[in-house]
Amino acid sequence: QIAELTRFYRLPREALPMHALTAPGVWDALLEHMPMTAMIRNLATMTRVGLLAPMSNAAHTVCERLADTERLRKARVHPIQVLAALVTYASGGQAGRSRGEPYQPVAQVVDALDAAFYTTFGNVTPTGKRTLLALDVSSSMMSGEVSGVPGLSSALGATAMALITANVEPNYEIMGFAHEFRPLAISPGQRLDDAMRTAYGHGFGGTDCALPMLWAQSKARHVDTFVIYTDSETWAGQVHPTVALADYRRGFPGARLAV
């Protein structure tokens, strides 16, 4: 009866009694009109209750929606949202919102999330600014968590954002830094795992967040926006980042810094 009422009145999950949310039929009714972001958040639960299973109608529906570029655009789904969902869902109940009773992820849904990550690059609005992207590539970046999702390390999040920038911005340069500053050959056509190897394939020392501005000043490189991705475990260097930015602005007024 709850499933029928849910379907007829298009009720959201929040309107239902808790005991009803263990029934596959109720989740089947919810899925019919479930918004995209809610669907992405509830993939683990729908798998646990048995609605999402290999070759099931529900799995087909989920994969079809995740492949719908226009639906993803209208829902304003950001690639990092999809990446967090991918890491969480693929963990089988060991990470993020899905942490709890184990479940077997549906392989087709995992693949659909992976594809949706790249599809949603188009949802990001470019700034058109001359952007210098600086990734902290020190070893500590491999262990941190983004948004409390184990498996979504600071390194993975930073690399994902670098890929998004490479696919969206017309004027950008991607560099890696710790105790020194060097180019990272991350290109728009790369997959995330390949870009991770590019960014974090070499050993680095302490983290000096002033290096992007010092390097740009030494090269007389005109940068509108410095974007630094770091886990903030930083102590190295002789110049404070704010001092380096102030010095850079003497030659290039108006430069911005986002950390």
Side-chain angles (χ1 to χ4, degrees):
Q1 186 181 23
I2 290 175
E4 289 174 6
L5 291 169
T6 299
R7 190 170 277 111
F8 184 79
Y9 289 106
R10 298 192 178 189
L11 298 175
R13 179 188 64 80
E14 293 80 3
L16 305 185
M18 289 298 294
H19 72 267
L21 298 177
T22 59
V26 170
W27 280 101
D28 190 41
L30 285 168
L31 182 60
E32 280 191 23
H33 304 289
M34 193 179 289
M36 177 65 80
T37 51
M39 186 192 79
I40 291 173
R41 283 199 310 270
N42 286 291
L43 292 174
T45 301
M46 290 189 286
T47 304
R48 276 200 188 97
V49 301
L51 179 64
L52 284 185
M55 297 187 289
S56 66
N57 289 335
H60 176 76
T61 297
V62 166
C63 293
E64 197 173 52
R65 290 181 187 175
L66 287 171
D68 189 332
T69 304
E70 186 60 18
R71 190 186 286 261
L72 289 166
R73 186 191 64 79
K74 285 183 176 179
R76 298 182 178 182
V77 178
H78 192 278
I80 294 295
Q81 281 179 276
V82 183
L83 181 60
L86 171 60
V87 171
T88 299
Y89 184 70
S91 77
Q94 304 305 306
R97 295 173 62 93
S98 75
R99 204 177 303 181
E101 184 183 339
Y103 59 88
Q104 183 61 46
V106 179
Q108 291 87 346
V109 174
V110 174
D111 288 344
L113 283 168
D114 181 69
F117 168 68
Y118 299 96
T119 301
T120 50
F121 285 3
N123 294 358
V124 178
T125 304
T127 66
K129 303 291 186 183
R130 288 175 286 249
T131 303
L132 178 61
L133 207 66
L135 274 61
D136 176 354
V137 292
S138 62
S139 57
S140 65
M141 290 283 286
M142 299 298 291
S143 56
E145 292 178 7
V146 178
S147 301
V149 181
L152 183 52
S153 64
S154 301
L156 186 59
T159 306
M161 290 302 293
L163 263 186
I164 294 165
T165 299
N167 276 270
V168 170
E169 293 291 354
N171 300 306
Y172 70 92
E173 190 162 9
I174 300 175
M175 306 287 286
F177 76 95
H179 65 290
E180 57 185 64
F181 205 63
R182 60 175 71 166
L184 294 178
I186 293 176
S187 63
Q190 278 184 293
R191 304 291 291 181
L192 183 56
D193 54 352
D194 187 37
M196 272 286 286
R197 285 190 291 271
T198 299
Y200 293 90
H202 9 251
F204 268 115
T207 306
D208 181 359
C209 287
L211 287 178
M213 285 71 73
L214 295 175
W215 176 85
Q217 187 177 27
S218 70
K219 301 290 184 184
R221 192 70 55 91
H222 189 176
V223 176
D224 296 316
T225 310
F226 295 93
V227 181
I228 295 176
Y229 288 104
T230 176
D231 59 359
S232 297
E233 291 191 24
T234 169
W235 50 266
Q238 303 299 314
V239 181
H240 195 283
T242 56
V243 174
L245 180 63
D247 288 344
Y248 179 80
R249 281 174 171 164
R250 290 191 180 94
F252 299 96
R256 303 287 184 104
L257 169 63
V259 182

